[in-house]
Amino acid sequence: LSIPEKGNEAAEAVQGLWNYLLKVDSEEKLALVREMMPAVEAGLAAFSNAEVLEAIEARRKGKPPERKPLRTAEFEQLISQPTETPGELPAEDEDFFALTATRDRPPAGVAQVVLASRLREVRAQIGLTRLEPATPDLQGEYDLGVQSAPLGLLADWLPASEIHGEGVFVRLDEKAVQAWEARTAVKNRGRELLAGYEQWAAAYENPPPFPGTRFYMLHSLSHLLISAISLECGYAASAIHERIYCAPANDDRPMAAILLSTGSAGSEGTLGGLVEQGRDLRQHLRRAFDLGVLCS
């Protein structure tokens, strides 16, 4: 998912213009390049010469920018989106455009709703596994020990597709989540889930860590909301994807949020119906609750 990373904007801008900047080693040369090339000036307009030179030097030395864990970086960018202004629209070439919904107050237990009318996703086939899939951890990183077979021994490229779509980001109130986690019934259910996990994990040499009851709650809520929203937004439930942002209360950055998004290489994914459903979240949560009551 292509969400600009907060704090590394200058490095990303330099990376995109590197062919024009690779020989720049002084402020004088940078000023000349910015003046002579409108495309460079447009790409670096938000940054001072000092910031750009620092990013150029770091890239030249092969020093990658310091990056936060994947889900944490996305979460911080999404919750920092400005409030919506009537009539504000994304630029034609903008790949990411999101605004915090303000038309109605979020339902109880929901801290923030962000409407992402532009989302870009790149899907690449990097290999294959048999018997056991490569499973990401809570940060979305695939570092849990499952080795994939390469697509080819001599291939120096990967098949990939670029997908444009939209999404609704729902951040739950952290205090409400912690109060829910403190309930006796939730703790008892958590022990049952942990016992089942330990029985399953015993068969594996390097199993993923137990995700915790917070993750189960977010995952369940996500699927119930997908079922509820799909009845209204014009997308099939199978076309709506979930992205879970989960970190426990004792983490440096607690997270309890979900991103429901859709996108495809065809026409489905850019219809605009999903974003508008974020404005009726109270109604969809009620329907999701009713669906949950009937769920085994």
Side-chain angles (χ1 to χ4, degrees):
L1 196 62
S2 182
I3 297 179
E5 187 173 348
K6 204 170 180 62
N8 288 323
E9 292 88 349
E12 291 180 357
V14 166
Q15 179 178 342
L17 298 166
W18 185 243
N19 288 340
Y20 303 107
L21 301 172
L22 58 89
K23 292 187 178 181
V24 171
D25 56 6
S26 67
E27 189 164 349
E28 291 76 15
K29 288 184 179 180
L30 176 60
L32 182 62
V33 171
R34 294 181 72 156
E35 181 180 352
M36 298 296 293
M37 297 184 176
V40 173
E41 176 56 32
L44 302 177
F47 313 105
S48 66
N49 284 346
E51 290 175 317
V52 174
L53 284 171
E54 183 181 353
I56 290 173
E57 189 63 22
R59 180 175 173 83
R60 186 171 287 128
K61 292 180 178 178
K63 179 182 177 184
E66 293 185 6
R67 296 190 179 277
K68 295 181 179 179
L70 180 61
R71 288 286 192 273
T72 300
E74 293 178 0
F75 178 82
E76 291 183 353
Q77 181 71 319
L78 285 164
I79 66 174
S80 67
Q81 294 308 302
T83 55
E84 61 181 341
T85 302
E88 187 174 2
L89 297 173
E92 289 186 7
D93 59 346
E94 207 162 0
D95 288 327
F96 175 74
F97 184 80
L99 296 171
T100 299
T102 58
R103 192 173 72 182
D104 298 312
R105 192 173 67 178
V110 176
Q112 184 183 18
V113 178
V114 177
L115 308 176
S117 54
R118 287 273 182 91
L119 283 176
R120 173 177 173 267
E121 184 180 358
V122 176
R123 299 177 186 171
Q125 177 80 37
I126 63 170
L128 58 98
T129 63
R130 294 182 179 179
L131 303 181
E132 184 180 0
T135 306
D137 60 15
L138 291 182
Q139 284 291 348
E141 302 288 357
Y142 287 84
D143 58 355
L144 300 178
V146 177
Q147 297 296 319
S148 62
L151 293 180
L153 298 178
L154 302 176
D156 59 356
W157 59 277
L158 296 171
S161 61
E162 184 182 49
I163 293 163
H164 293 275
E166 57 179 324
V168 176
F169 174 79
V170 180
R171 176 167 67 97
L172 302 186
D173 182 84
E174 180 62 30
K175 291 183 179 178
V177 173
Q178 291 183 26
W180 174 83
E181 290 174 317
R183 294 180 183 177
T184 301
V186 173
K187 290 181 177 179
N188 292 338
R189 179 61 174 161
R191 284 191 284 269
E192 294 175 356
L193 292 170
L194 177 60
Y197 162 82
E198 289 175 342
Q199 184 176 357
W200 168 84
Y204 296 92
E205 183 178 340
N206 187 25
F210 179 65
T213 52
R214 177 179 296 221
F215 178 85
Y216 283 96
M217 181 269 289
L218 291 169
H219 184 53
S220 300
L221 176 61
S222 172
H223 276 250
L224 290 169
L225 271 177
I226 287 173
S227 298
I229 288 177
S230 67
L231 299 175
E232 299 287 340
C233 72
Y235 297 111
S238 59
I240 303 176
H241 313 293
E242 68 169 3
R243 199 171 184 86
I244 296 177
Y245 299 88
C246 178
N250 59 1
D251 197 87
D252 292 337
R253 162 60 88 177
M255 296 188 293
I258 55 177
L259 173 66
L260 303 182
S261 65
T262 186
S264 71
S267 59
E268 190 167 286
T270 57
L271 300 177
L274 182 59
V275 163
E276 286 304 310
Q277 301 311 311
R279 304 185 189 280
D280 297 321
L281 186 62
R282 192 184 310 273
Q283 170 189 341
H284 294 310
L285 284 171
R286 169 53 60 185
R287 183 179 288 118
F289 179 83
D290 293 339
L291 290 171
V293 169
L294 298 174
C295 179
S296 60

